[in-house]
Amino acid sequence: MKSLEIDVFLCRSDNFGVLLHCPDSGLTACIDAPELEPILAAAERRDWTITHIFTTHHHGDHVEANLALKERFNCEIIGPRNEAVAIPGIDRTVGDGDEFAFGKHLVRVIETPGHTAGHVCYHLPEDKLLFSADTLFALGCGRLFERSAIDMWHSLQKLAELPDETIVYFGHEYTLSNARFALTIDPDNSRLKSRAEDIEIMRARGDFTVPTTIALEKETNPFLRANDPDIRRTLGMPTESDEDVFAEIRKRKDNF
Ligand code: ZN
Ligand code: FE
């Protein structure tokens, strides 16, 4: 079985478009559909025919091109059961723990309520891949539009429990601002400091910061580290619950 191939490109101003291609079966999934033209350009450049869209959540910057791609490719749109009514052209709904095949590759659905009520991430355990969209970013997490900080903390914990080596593709290039914020929360974390320096250089060159890994996020992403004693000391919250510390970090980021 050949490895899956991935093409990442920018859509809109800071959304990532991602095409996931299985060379054995010829299938190609578009992870969300932020903008038609760059998606078509990537598919043409690679000579891939889009057969699926894996939708993570209903926001316009993730579903805008659903109907146009469906019209063009007659692709199957898979998306979250808990917000299916808001997803244009959805064919098949999925929920937590559901599994389906993409060629011979297993895809597992992880529900991660927080950013939206029904947000799902797509995990390919055998390929060690996670598509986390607007739940987990490099050094960040999604804003809480439809669910509480408690819900988001538990959603992020599900992702943190995945194997360290899992490669994570996320929804937005917010990493530079996330890095600058993370340093205010976790200023003595040497791994974070060197990562932030790398990110400054990458972004100055115009390079994308996607993908990341679960291991790297656990070491440096303050939104996964609400139980860290140094962060708690910085926030003056030594004995509060992890959920409360997480909520405080999220609130500070909203105002950063
Ligand atoms: Zn969103
Ligand atoms: Fe988004």
Side-chain angles (χ1 to χ4, degrees), residues 168-229:
V168 183
Y169 287 83
F170 46 90
H172 289 268
E173 181 57 75
Y174 293 156
T175 310
L176 184 57
S177 139
N178 288 345
R180 290 172 180 170
F181 171 74
L183 288 169
T184 70
I185 299 294
D186 198 7
D188 299 321
N189 181 338
S190 57
R191 193 73 194 77
L192 171 61
K193 282 193 267 190
S194 76
R195 188 179 183 196
E197 283 169 20
D198 293 345
I199 288 163
E200 294 277 351
I201 293 164
M202 289 169 86
R203 293 305 297 144
R205 280 203 302 247
D207 294 345
F208 300 153
T209 60
V210 73
T212 180
T213 65
I214 290 294
L216 187 54
E217 294 312 310
K218 286 198 296 192
E219 286 174 342
T220 54
N221 185 330
F223 295 97
L224 296 180
R225 295 165 54 75
N227 54 4
D228 180 76

Side-chain angles (χ1 to χ4, degrees), residues 83-139:
E83 51 192 55
V85 289
I87 293 169
I90 192 165
D91 296 297
R92 181 154 41 132
T93 64
V94 289
D96 202 39
D98 285 355
E99 297 182 347
F100 61 91
F102 178 67
K104 289 191 173 140
H105 301 261
L106 175 69
V107 183
R108 278 185 51 235
V109 177
I110 305 175
E111 263 173 24
T112 56
H115 181 67
T116 65
H119 193 296
V120 297
C121 297
Y122 294 94
H123 179 219
L124 286 77
E126 294 151 355
D127 300 278
K128 299 182 172 19
L129 285 172
L130 175 72
F131 298 96
S132 65
D134 290 5
T135 295
L136 177 67
F137 297 128
L139 294 175

Side-chain angles (χ1 to χ4, degrees), residues 53 65-77 88-91:
I53 299 174
N66 274 20
L67 294 180
L69 288 172
K70 192 167 182 175
E71 189 167 318
R72 179 121 174 185
F73 295 103
N74 195 28
C75 50
E76 182 182 25
I77 302 180
I90 192 165
D91 296 297

